[in-house]
Structures are given as structure tokens and as C-alpha cells.
Amino acid sequence: MSLALDFTSPAAAPAADRVTLFADVILPLPLPRLYTYRVPYELNDNVVIGGRVIVQFGAKKTLSCIVAAVHEHAPKEYQAKYILEFIDDAPVVTQPQLKLFRWMADYYLCTLGEVINAALPSALKLSSESRIQLHPGFSREENQYPLSAQEALIVEALGAPEESKALTFTEVGDLLGITSFHKVIKSLMHKDVIFLFEHTADKYAPKVVKKVRLAHLFIAEASIEQLFGNLASKPKQLDVLLKYLQRVPVHQNEHANQQGIEKAALTSSPHLSASAVNTLIKNGVLEQFDVIVSRFPLENEPTAQLHFALTEAQTAARDEIMAHFGEREIVLLHGVTGAGKTEIYIDLIRKALESGGQVLYLLPEIALTAQIVTRLLRVFGSRLGVYHSKFSDNERVEVWNGVLSGRFQVVVGVRSAVFLPFDNLSLIIVDEEHESSYKQYEPAPRYNAREVALMMANFQGAKTLLGSATPAVETYYQAKQGRYELVSLTKRFGEAGMPDIELVDTRKAREKKTMHNHFTADLLGEVERTLGRQEQVILFQNRRGYAPVVACQDCGWIPKCTNCAVSLSYHKHSHELRCHYCGYHDPMVSKCPACGSRAVKTQGFGTEKIEDDLKIMLPQANIQRMDLDTTRAKNSYQQIIGDFEQQTTNVLVGTQMVTKGLDFANVSLVGIINADSIIHYPDFRAHERAYQMFVQVSGRAGRKGKKGKVIIQTADPTQVIFDKVIRNDYAEFYNYEIMQRQEHGYPPFMRIIKMTVKHVEQGLGEQAAIMLTQELVERLGRAAVLGPEAPYIFRIRNFYLQEITIKLDRAHTALKWAKEQVCAAMDVVKDQKEFKQARLVADVDPM
């Protein structure tokens, strides 16, 4: 039996005085409009704006969606179906969130459904493919809630908790033989009998701690004395028992024994034996049991108050920020690397919490959260939540609900944290606000978390602090124009001075034959001297993998991705050729498939090759690598950073992950292996990004009083940008860059929308792009529209690309009108039969 749903009214015909309600819902689908459903009369009092309901969409699909509005107007275009079930008694999406989501859909030219789909953790989104499984903590014998016949049938079908099967919603409908089964599922969830998960995600695995307690038989004092006698000839078991009794006062507090202690605590000392613990459990002296605990530390502990004194410069900056907040909503804190901005942030967060508000602290990289969260936990304890993509879906739901309930008053997170259900924000901090990591590229909404944070603050009456040593040109321009207030920190914290920066000419080194693989003698010698002083080194190369290119030395053959117009990069660890755009991979070849030659060699170098070469040249060094390949696992960031902080590792090789705000006391040398690859990039922001990256990575050196040194390897030391980096002269860099932007019509003087046309057939993609360009020119004028043209990488994931750039005046009314014209032009192209398969993507404010 398939899941068939009956949409006739579940109640008798309403009386004349009954009110028929309709709900506009946001489906997690890219639909241009909201969809309207009818509320069953007997559930009129249950409908909650911001709550989830289950509806049927299409012939068989059931989805959960968010109620956006409730009214009495039936849709004219179609007959409204009934809502099947109400999931929530209270909103899971707040009114401020709904307002923000509408703005995001409008500003970033996407649908409200796409915003909701990106915003909600998967565990809050249900569909006909959602699955249920027995909760690991459920026990049939100890279950305190009676089960109905239908509930018992589902539990029986799921099997034993330790090897529970999973059932889809469709299978539940088949099992019960009814169409409206969602109430049964909801009831089982409330009783903690089952949990939900999506078939595309990992199964729910609650954090379980194994604990032990003394068996009730031995609680009496006489029984313990007898137990000691029995274990007299078994010293290892006796040691374990003594350890337990030291930790748990069983005579004074029987409840403490009931709570027990973690099993791991009994083996924490070297002389305690894990096998002795297991023997005591086996013999019934100790009882082992599992406890499901929060995934977040310090849940029940009091807030740890860590007090520190701000320096005179930090205090002055803090006071200046507070004074500006009295007049302006947005302040830019421009402080050199190592100036102690984090301490100022912590002080401002503490003051915001004292006033009863919520705080959002945004960071550009998960790697940064790993280091900063430890510091913040010591200050804010259980009031602090953490939110980023390495968390499991259930952990994200825990933070979401924690914000809703008020448990988490401060949240530290990456860009997706802007979606959390805040409703009483008083402060938003955007650290390293210049970072391109705040920009979402795929899928829609293609938002910039910095801009979304500014709008959140505007909607909720909060203050926003933007912080950076190298502000984005657009941000600094707003500060210079007086739209933002500007506060500067020009000196490093404590006694630390700015590092010395030295340029090394790789072209001359090659002529003199003094290069060691990809290292000049200057850099390699400085690394050896630094390690000799027991100090640490960071080496930066903005390309991962072992070698970017593999080529046949005889015929010139280069392995290409089958889906993208790029060459495959060699990764030595997995001994495979990999595409960094779509993930396609092939085994490494030893013989050229074109000419049969064995002269297949790697060219260029990435972080993996640098790590490999260093291990040969510096066998005494402990080297680790931090890039996308080594940080895929959930806790890999913490592990790598923890090892480096504890000086288990003394050389850290990495991509741009190592440039972003990390704070290591013992780093005195930073090496930039290949600066030229960053500067020479076909983008109007290339010099800005290069300056920011060089200054930021240089700022990792000499932060705690030790004199730092930075060596930049380049084939062209005469580049103008290097002089500005060496003198750490942001103002001069900004003045030069802003003149270039004004002359050529780039942000902040113009708004840019990048249109991308994608098609599996190159010819049809080009035709669609030409038609879209013509429509845009008719509406916006030739001067505003550039293109179409194929990008440098013209094929990704089997789609051929064409790009169109639209430059618009910054006036709000003109921008709104222009976006309407862009949408109209896209609709014209989409209406053409031959272009039905074309994908039209609008990226507002691309980076």
C-alpha cells in the first residue's frame, strides 16, 4: 500500500459562524511565490506563525514548511489543500527571522524557499523521505509513558534499540494503513521513543557517556568491609574500588552513588587497570550504565568568570566604541594584527549581556572558532553556543533550540550563524570583516554574512562592530564617508612590535642555483635557525595538494577533469589525481596514455609537496599541514591547532586557513612561499586580496613579545604592493586602490551583479547568454551590461558557463528597479522552449 493522502475536509461542514483560516507557507523549494493551504477548523487555535506544518505538495510528496502568514482569503488560482499536521506549538522561526529572510530573498534575487532551505538545519525539515528510528535511551521495560496500539505497532516494527531499523514516513503509512499518521510520530517523539533523521544525513548519534556506580548490594558499610576482604588478594581491583569510594561518598550521599562517575575516571591514573574495572562490572560489584549528555560543555556548570585588565590603548578604544554606539549603529575597529581586538570584543560582549541582550560573534573560518571558543568558554561558560558546518545536524538543532529558549545568550559561529533565531540582539561582532569566506557561493542564497549581519542589526536595533587589520575597501570607504564610525588601534598588544618583512628574489636564487626545491637558501636557513631557538614557523602556500599539474615531458599530455575545464591536481597521500572543483578523481598514472612514455612528471607545488619536502630536508622538525584535505574530519581543526599551541608541532604548513586571526605565542617566523600567484589574478580585487593576505599571515609572527620575521618569496620584488605591505601602510594602499576603483567604476562606487548562464550544451548556453544580454541591454542600457563571455574556467560539473557583468548605480531606488529588470529579463529567457534546460544564476555583490 502506498502513502495516499485524502484531502477532503476532516470535519463536518462548518457552521455559518465558523471562521475558515488559510495559511501561506514557505516550502523549502525554489518557488517564486508562497503556497496557500487551508487550516482544518478544529486546528484553528493551533496555527502559529513561524511554526512548522506538514503539507502535501504535488501528487505524493509530503513536506514540512514554515507558516508565514494566516488569513481568511482563499487562493483564486487553485483549490487550497488541507494542512495535514501541526508540528510545533511555538515558533521555530521568529518574526525577526522571517523579516530578515524576506529581505535576503529580495536583495540576493532568490526565493524565500531557498533561504529557508539554507537556514533550517536538516533535522527541522521533514519530508516523505524522512526516517524514524528508536531513541538509544528508550527501554521497553522502563518506559514511563503508555503506548497506543498504533505506537506499539511502530515500536515493534523498529526492532531492538541496539540494532534498530529505520522506517521512512511512507513505510509508516503503509504499516498503519492510515493516511494521517503524523500525530502518531509526533507523540512518539514527545515520549522520547523515536528520533528523526534525513536519509541523506548521518544517523542521529547522541553523545553517550559510559558511567559506573557501586551495586546497591554493597552500599551498606558492613557489605563494603566484606568486599574489601574478598578483594584483598586482588590489588588491581581493590585500587579501582578505593578510587571510586574516594570520588563518591556512598555512605553520606546515596544519591551520589546513583549518579555514579564516568568510567574513564577510574582509569585516569596510570596504576589503575581498565581490565580490573571490567572485571568488577562482570562480577556485579560495579554497574555500568549509559547517560546521554549535551554535546556542549559546561551545560550545568556556573559561568567561569575570567577577569583580565585591558591595556590603556584597549581601554581607550573600548570607550571610543561605546561613545560612538551612542550616535551610530555601526563602528569599524581598524587594529593592526596582534593589537588585542579579541579582549575588546570580550569586554563589549560582557557589557551587552549585562544589559540583557543577545550577542552574535561571527568569524570567517571554523579554524578560528576552534581557538577562540576555548577563551570565550572560560568567560561565558554555559551561556555560549557554537555554530558551524562541522557540527552534526543534531548539534546545530541543539544550538538553534538553545537560542530560542534563551539558554545560549552568546553564539560564536561562521556565516551560517546569521540564520539563528535571535529576537533580542544587542550586539553583533563581525571579526576579520574583510574575509571572502563570509560570502556564500553555492547554492542560493548567495549572501554575504557581513551584509546580512548589518541588516539583522538594523531590524533588531542592535549595534554592529566590524573588526579587521585590513578592512575591505568598501567598508573603509563607508567609514571615511562618515556612514560608519572609525576607531583605530595602531600598536600591538603588550611589548610586541610589528615583524620585520624581507623580500627574497626567487629568480636570482634560481640563477645562482641556490634554490632547494621551492625554498630559497634565505628562507630555509631562517627556518633552521628558528627551530634551533625552539621557536615555531608558519609557511603559507595558497594551493593545496601535492602538484597542481601533471604532464608528459615527451608529448605534453596533461590529465584533465572529465566534468570541468581544468587539469587534475596530484595528491600524494591518496596517490590520485583530483579535481578541486567537482571532486572527480582518477588513479595516478605512471605511463602517458597518449604516447606511452613513462616521462610523466609533476609540475608546480602545493601544501602537500611542501610538507613532504620539509620532512626530508628537516627530519628533526615536527611538521603538520592545515588545508581542506587535512581538516575534513569534525575535530581536525582543534587537533591541528591544539598540537601547534602545545608546541607538539613546530612547523605548520597551510593555505589561507593559517592567515585568519590565529594567535600563537611562540611563532617567530612566517614564510610566504609563492607570493606572485596571489597578485597576478584576473580580478579587480586581486591587489586588495593580496595585500590583506600578506599582512594577515605576516601578523601571525612575533605576537607575544618575541621579534617576528616574515620572508616573502617572489620573482618580482619591485611590485608596488610589497612596499605597502613592508611599511604596513593601509592608508596608502587604500588611497591607491580607491582611485583605481573610482576610475574604472567598481565597488564601492557601483553595485555589481554577475549573471552566469549554465548549460550542458555549449552552443545553447551561448545562445541563451546572448539573448539574456540583449534583454538586459534593452532594460538597463549598453553601458551597464558587459559580456557575455566565457570565464577562464568555462566548464564546471559538465555545465558550460557564460558570464555577464551588470554595473549599477548605488542609489537604493535605482538598484531596486534594476533588480526588477534583471528578474524580468531572466523570465523572458526561461520562457523560451529551447532554453528550458539553461540555468540562470544571479550573484549580487560577487567577491
Side-chain angles (χ1 to χ4, degrees):
M1 172 183 167
S2 62
L3 176 59
L5 300 172
D6 180 12
F7 292 103
T8 56
S9 173
D17 59 341
R18 287 185 174 181
V19 176
T20 301
L21 295 180
F22 295 88
D24 295 337
V25 302
I26 309 170
L27 291 158
L29 300 170
L31 302 173
R33 297 171 56 186
L34 301 184
Y35 215 74
T36 304
Y37 285 84
R38 188 170 176 178
V39 180
Y41 175 75
E42 68 274 16
L43 299 177
N44 274 4
D45 294 336
N46 297 62
V47 63
V48 176
I49 293 177
R52 292 171 300 161
V53 295
I54 293 177
V55 300
Q56 182 184 23
F57 187 75
K60 295 182 179 179
K61 200 170 189 178
T62 57
L63 296 169
S64 67
C65 49
I66 301 295
V67 176
V70 180
H71 52 81
E72 299 178 24
H73 309 294
K76 297 178 181 178
E77 299 84 359
Y78 53 88
Q79 183 174 356
K81 298 175 183 178
Y82 277 94
I83 290 173
L84 298 178
E85 185 59 68
F86 289 81
I87 301 175
D88 303 305
D89 301 324
V92 296
V93 176
T94 64
Q95 290 284 9
Q97 275 181 295
L98 287 172
K99 185 177 181 181
L100 181 71
F101 295 168
R102 290 188 181 100
W103 174 84
M104 289 180 71
D106 181 56
Y107 185 84
Y108 290 107
L109 298 181
C110 63
T111 67
L112 198 50
E114 288 173 310
V115 178
I116 283 289
N117 198 40
L120 290 181
S122 294
L124 293 180
K125 295 179 289 187
L126 308 179
S127 72
S128 52
E129 290 306 308
S130 296
R131 301 187 179 205
I132 64 170
Q133 190 174 19
L134 281 185
H135 196 290
F138 171 71
S139 167
R140 288 176 172 80
E141 294 75 21
E142 299 178 11
N143 181 40
Q144 57 181 319
Y145 300 107
L147 299 179
S148 68
Q150 291 176 331
E151 291 171 348
L153 189 60
I154 292 174
V155 170
E156 190 64 31
L158 289 172
E162 59 272 13
E163 49 188 38
S164 173
K165 295 189 299 184
L167 296 177
T168 66
F169 277 19
T170 304
E171 290 169 337
V172 172
D174 294 345
L175 177 69
L176 299 181
I178 59 175
T179 57
S180 184
F181 53 81
H182 299 92
K183 286 183 180 179
V184 185
I185 291 176
K186 185 178 179 182
S187 173
L188 287 171
M189 287 177 63
H190 283 170
K191 295 175 181 177
D192 283 334
V193 175
I194 64 169
F195 64 85
L196 295 172
F197 67 94
E198 291 296 308
H199 73 290
T200 55
D202 292 335
K203 288 187 178 182
Y204 175 83
K207 186 175 180 180
V208 176
V209 173
K210 291 191 178 300
K211 301 185 83 172
V212 293
R213 61 191 167 211
L214 188 64
H216 187 74
L217 178 66
F218 300 105
I219 293 295
E221 193 168 343
S223 300
I224 291 180
E225 288 179 5
Q226 183 180 352
L227 184 59
F228 277 134
N230 295 340
L231 296 177
S233 60
K234 301 170 183 174
K236 290 186 177 181
Q237 294 181 38
L238 194 59
D239 286 344
V240 170
L241 181 61
L242 285 169
K243 176 76 171 181
Y244 181 84
L245 294 174
Q246 287 171 2
R247 294 284 302 271
V248 182
V250 293
H251 298 312
Q252 291 88 355
N253 188 350
E254 189 171 335
H255 176 70
N257 181 66
Q258 193 66 20
Q259 296 295 312
I261 61 172
E262 290 188 24
K263 185 179 179 182
L266 290 182
T267 56
S268 57
S269 300
H271 68 281
L272 295 177
S273 165
S275 62
V277 176
N278 291 328
T279 301
L280 289 171
I281 294 170
K282 182 180 177 181
N283 294 337
V285 176
L286 295 177
E287 296 174 346
Q288 179 174 304
F289 60 103
D290 292 341
V291 175
I292 297 174
V293 298
S294 170
R295 293 176 173 85
F296 299 96
L298 302 177
E299 182 185 22
N300 299 312
E301 295 184 21
T303 299
Q305 294 296 329
L306 175 69
H307 294 286
F308 53 84
L310 298 180
T311 65
E312 187 176 337
Q314 289 173 323
T315 302
R318 189 273 318 275
D319 292 344
E320 196 176 346
I321 291 167
M322 294 296 291
H324 286 320
F325 276 156
E327 303 170 1
R328 283 268 198 279
E329 307 303 313
I330 306 167
V331 175
L332 170 61
L333 175 59
H334 177 207
V336 297
T337 56
K341 295 186 287 293
T342 304
E343 285 74 17
I344 296 174
Y345 298 157
I346 291 172
D347 197 66
L348 291 170
I349 292 170
R350 189 184 278 130
K351 292 183 184 304
L353 295 184
E354 287 172 357
S355 67
Q358 299 168 309
V359 179
L360 173 59
Y361 183 173
L362 287 176
L363 294 162
E365 284 279 359
I366 298 170
L368 263 180
T369 66
Q371 191 174 48
I372 287 177
V373 163
T374 303
R375 299 170 66 182
L376 294 179
L377 277 172
R378 293 167 62 198
V379 182
F380 302 111
S382 58
R383 294 182 291 176
L384 179 74
V386 185
Y387 198 80
H388 58 64
S389 60
K390 291 290 183 184
F391 277 3
S392 71
D393 192 58
N394 294 283
E395 285 172 317
R396 290 198 291 274
V397 171
E398 196 168 326
V399 177
W400 185 286
N401 291 334
V403 174
L404 271 176
S405 67
R407 173 184 162 201
F408 296 131
Q409 296 165 278
V410 186
V411 174
V412 180
V414 293
R415 64 173 180 259
S416 57
V418 297
F419 292 123
L420 287 167
F422 296 102
D423 61 2
N424 187 30
L425 274 172
S426 61
L427 177 65
I428 300 178
I429 296 169
V430 186
D431 198 12
E432 310 294 350
E433 63 81 29
H434 65 279
E435 276 292 345
S436 59
S437 303
Y438 283 125
K439 174 71 175 178
Q440 163 79 9
Y441 295 98
E442 290 291 344
R446 296 169 180 84
Y447 65 98
N448 187 317
R450 178 188 64 200
E451 305 305 316
V452 175
L454 292 173
M455 192 55 61
M456 282 177 76
N458 179 46
F459 288 161
Q460 298 199 36
K463 307 296 183 182
T464 306
L465 180 63
L466 308 174
S468 177
T470 54
V473 168
E474 292 96 320
T475 304
Y476 202 74
Y477 175 79
Q478 300 294 345
K480 298 293 280 186
Q481 294 296 306
R483 297 186 184 98
Y484 304 165
E485 293 292 350
L486 177 63
V487 176
S488 298
L489 271 172
T490 57
K491 291 185 179 180
R492 281 190 150 188
F493 179 81
E495 302 299 318
M498 297 304 292
D500 295 329
I501 300 177
E502 178 184 335
L503 298 178
V504 178
D505 192 330
T506 55
R507 189 169 46 187
K508 288 183 179 179
R510 285 193 175 90
E511 288 173 0
K512 295 177 181 178
K513 300 186 188 298
T514 57
M515 291 290 292
H516 302 270
N517 291 331
H518 309 291
F519 299 90
T520 59
D522 293 338
L523 177 56
L524 194 58
E526 196 61 48
V527 170
E528 290 175 331
R529 286 188 288 274
T530 303
L531 296 180
R533 297 192 301 268
Q534 304 299 309
E535 294 170 356
Q536 292 173 290
V537 179
I538 290 178
L539 296 175
F540 167 66
Q541 166 66 3
N542 202 32
R543 188 185 289 273
R544 65 188 172 99
Y546 188 83
V549 178
V550 174
C552 174
Q553 304 302 296
D554 291 332
C555 72
W557 170 84
I558 296 174
K560 302 277 188 178
C561 177
T562 60
N563 307 317
C564 312
V566 294
S567 59
L568 298 174
S569 297
Y570 174 53
H571 288 246
K572 186 177 181 182
H573 178 72
S574 54
H575 195 56
E576 65 182 13
L577 299 165
R578 193 181 301 166
C579 175
H580 289 175
Y581 285 85
C582 71
Y584 172 84
H585 54 88
D586 264 342
M588 177 60 177
V589 296
S590 58
K591 185 169 69 173
C592 175
C595 71
S597 169
R598 292 193 174 273
V600 178
K601 294 186 177 180
T602 60
Q603 299 175 0
F605 58 97
T607 50
E608 190 180 13
K609 180 160 176 51
I610 292 171
E611 178 192 27
D612 209 44
D613 290 345
L614 281 174
K615 286 179 177 178
I616 296 170
M617 293 185 288
L618 302 171
Q620 77 282 10
N622 294 317
I623 301 163
Q624 267 197 319
R625 173 165 51 96
M626 189 162 78
D627 56 25
L628 187 61
D629 297 318
T630 62
T631 56
R632 294 185 190 277
K634 177 180 174 181
N635 295 315
S636 51
Y637 287 98
Q638 290 95 319
Q639 185 64 50
I640 293 170
I641 290 171
D643 288 347
F644 200 62
E645 279 182 322
Q646 294 162 22
Q647 300 178 37
T648 306
T649 305
N650 46 26
V651 178
L652 183 63
V653 178
T655 56
Q656 60 182 346
M657 291 179 184
V658 302
T659 71
K660 301 176 183 181
L662 295 172
D663 188 7
F664 301 113
N666 198 41
V667 173
S668 59
L669 176 66
V670 166
I672 298 174
I673 309 295
N674 183 14
D676 305 317
S677 64
I678 304 167
I679 299 172
H680 304 299
Y681 193 80
D683 186 273
F684 76 91
R685 286 194 173 93
H687 273 214
E688 178 186 12
R689 286 188 182 138
Y691 177 86
Q692 290 167 341
M693 209 167 285
F694 295 156
V695 171
Q696 289 287 341
V697 74
S698 299
R700 301 315 108 208
R703 295 174 69 90
K704 302 294 182 184
K706 295 178 181 177
K707 187 63 176 176
K709 186 170 186 176
V710 180
I711 294 180
I712 302 176
Q713 293 189 161
T714 173
D716 186 9
T718 62
Q719 283 275 350
V720 176
I721 194 170
F722 289 131
D723 179 59
K724 298 175 176 60
V725 171
I726 290 170
R727 292 189 289 111
N728 198 33
D729 194 339
Y730 178 83
E732 186 180 329
F733 160 77
Y734 167 80
N735 290 333
Y736 173 80
E737 190 70 14
I738 204 71
M739 287 173 56
Q740 298 292 314
R741 301 279 185 95
Q742 188 166 22
E743 181 180 347
H744 298 289
Y746 283 110
F749 302 100
M750 303 288 283
R751 289 273 192 196
I752 291 180
I753 300 176
K754 185 175 80 174
M755 306 296 302
T756 303
V757 180
K758 304 180 179 182
H759 205 292
V760 292
E761 294 185 32
Q762 189 171 10
L764 285 175
E766 291 172 354
Q767 292 173 32
I770 290 170
M771 183 177 186
L772 179 59
T773 303
Q774 291 170 346
E775 292 292 330
L776 290 169
V777 168
E778 285 182 16
R779 289 168 166 79
L780 303 174
R782 178 74 259 183
V785 183
L786 305 175
E789 64 179 358
Y792 177 71
I793 299 173
F794 60 87
R795 182 166 163 258
I796 296 177
R797 298 178 185 272
N798 282 321
F799 281 90
Y800 290 91
L801 311 182
Q802 288 282 319
E803 290 183 351
I804 304 162
T805 301
I806 305 170
K807 291 185 175 181
L808 302 171
D809 188 84
R810 289 192 67 89
H812 176 71
T813 52
L815 181 63
K816 186 175 181 180
W817 171 82
K819 287 181 178 178
E820 291 171 356
Q821 301 307 308
V822 170
C823 292
M826 292 170 69
D827 288 340
V828 170
V829 176
K830 289 175 183 176
D831 287 341
Q832 306 304 307
K833 185 178 180 180
E834 63 269 33
F835 300 143
K836 289 292 184 184
Q837 301 302 314
R839 296 186 185 180
L840 309 184
V841 174
D843 186 2
V844 180
D845 300 335
M847 291 189 73

